Amino acid sequence: MNVAKTSPGEFIRQVRVEAGKVVWPTGKETWVTAVMVFILTSILAIFFFAVDSAFAAIVQFLLGLLK
């Protein structure tokens, strides 16, 4: 396996060229994405809380049958 050697100066130049290609999101895109993440996280938290509560109730019921 032959790996090409790159000088530190050439590496920095390549990094700058690649960094210049980055397209940053606008403020509005960032805000909308953050709100969507918050909403979906909240919905999932409520869902998993409900499922966990249901399983806990089922387990409690089954354990009550053993008494």
Side-chain angles (χ1 to χ4, degrees), residues 9-55:
E10 177 64 17
F11 176 76
I12 297 296
R13 189 192 68 73
Q14 290 175 0
V15 168
R16 286 186 178 168
V17 168
E18 292 300 320
K21 296 177 184 177
V22 174
V23 179
W24 295 99
T26 64
K28 182 179 179 184
E29 289 171 334
T30 303
W31 178 250
V32 169
T33 302
V35 169
M36 290 303 296
V37 167
F38 179 77
I39 290 170
L40 291 175
T41 302
S42 300
I43 290 170
L44 283 172
I46 293 167
F47 171 76
F48 284 119
F49 176 76
V51 170
D52 185 56
S53 297
F55 281 134

